[in-house]
Amino acid sequence: MFLSSLSPLFLRSRREMEGRRRLLLLLRFSFALLLLLLLGASTAQMPGFISLDCGGRVNFTDALGLTWTPDDQLLYGETTNISVANETMQQYKTLRYFPANDRKYCYTLKVKSRTRYLVRVTFLYGNFDNNNVYPKFDVSLGATHWATIVISDADTIEVQELIFLALDPTISVCLSNATTGQPFISTLELREFNGSVYLTQFESQYYLSVSARINFGADSEDPVRYPDDPFDRIWESDSLKKANYLVDVSAGTEKVSTKMPIDVSSGEMPPQKVMQTAVVGRNGSLTYRLNLDGFPGFGWAFTYLAEIENLGPNVSRKFRLVLPGMPDLSKAIVNIQENAQGKYRLYEPGYYNISLPFVLSFRFGKTSDSSMGPLLNAMEINKYLKKNDGSFDGSVIASAVSSYSSADWAREGGDPCLPVPWSWVECNSDPQPRITKM
């Protein structure tokens, strides 16, 4: 009687325990699955990434986790293998080269309109033609001349980066106007930005040509990029040794670092790894000199600051930027912890439009009432590049050509007239050229 009266309670208790056990197993499984998904998401590259291995033949994923595809859909040019001492990255073992003639050779990439991107082209000569004649040629984005590529070392990778707002469903990157050697390309990369990163009031008329992007306080000469930077920007180390790069360093400059997480959720969202290092001026100042590619001209210049040292309650860090010949720019006082509203938070002072020389000298100096010298985590300088509106008939002829997209003659890409005409059209020499003959 006693056992029989307890039996239902015991069975119900066992059923409840079994249900709880199954629920616990389900929760553990769900948590493990979620963790795997999160880990997978952290290593999967961002949407809007295109990485073309020019001259390559197979898809591959590199050590950074970036997926590369060959440019074998391109109709023009020849491919070849190269071998450069100490260069192990697969994308730099091949290249594509083109005839040195009066044509342009274009890559056309799909983009999302009203979205900002970084486009990067790289060039590793490697004496691919066995002539030891260093090539010199132009690269353009659509109708806009972007840069003149001047190879001065067969074993050095030349890099050009441009930030732009896409206004059309495609962009074209074109090579042309070789004055020595043959135009060639090693890689073509496209990286999509989120939200308002690199938003400027001039973006409908100007591109941003990247001149300097520097990680101060770096612990090695290696750059910081993807996956530490989810946008795959390349942050050069301040320890890198090259001509006219961060020279005239003041005495008392010291590197510091932290393992604390940094809030980088605002502005241009520099990577945490960059913001976890810095240089400080123990003697009261930080001074540097460097050459700015593409300058003199007007540019976009910002510093990235975060207080990563433990300052006592009566300790302050206040400093000013000093640019020779620009006294008005030296008036603003920086107090990182106050400006960022706390430690380990990004503060991003800078200038959306500033005139800068080719040789830039700058200094950060502490104020008279500051107990600590200045601190600098990173900086970025981009030059405004005026967009070319293209040929007068460009949009009309491009619309007509799109109906014949499978024909070889309709796949030359870029603007019909600029920087040089398509092979089957002739254009006049007006500032905004017109097509005169087809």
Side-chain angles (χ1 to χ4, degrees), residues 237-293:
S237 167
D238 64 339
S239 299
L240 195 63
K241 301 295 188 294
K242 60 181 181 178
N244 301 308
Y245 176 73
L246 299 179
V247 295
D248 297 346
V249 181
S250 57
T253 299
E254 181 181 314
K255 294 188 176 189
V256 296
S257 64
T258 182
K259 295 186 182 300
M260 293 292 292
I262 311 296
D263 182 354
V264 294
S265 59
S266 61
E268 273 53 59
M269 295 188 282
Q272 282 205 50
K273 186 171 182 178
V274 165
M275 299 305 297
Q276 287 173 326
T277 65
V279 288
V280 294
R282 296 302 187 199
N283 292 350
S285 67
L286 293 169
T287 62
Y288 291 97
R289 175 171 58 84
L290 75 159
N291 290 356
L292 295 177
D293 291 340

Side-chain angles (χ1 to χ4, degrees), residues 22 79 126 171 243 253 274 295 379 404:
R22 289 176 178 173
T79 65
I171 61 161
T253 299
V274 165
F295 284 84
M379 67 179 295
Y404 303 91

Side-chain angles (χ1 to χ4, degrees), residues 286 320-327 329-330 360-365:
L286 293 169
R320 289 186 175 95
L321 167 66
V322 179
L323 291 174
M326 302 182 191
L329 300 183
S330 304
L360 175 66
S361 296
F362 64 94
R363 179 172 71 89
F364 290 101

Side-chain angles (χ1 to χ4, degrees), residues 123-126 133-137 148-158 180 184:
F123 310 88
L124 179 59
Y125 173 48
V133 175
Y134 292 156
K136 180 180 178 181
F137 54 91
T148 297
I149 306 302
V150 181
I151 302 300
S152 56
D153 183 354
D155 298 342
T156 298
I157 300 171
E158 297 291 333
T180 59
F184 73 96

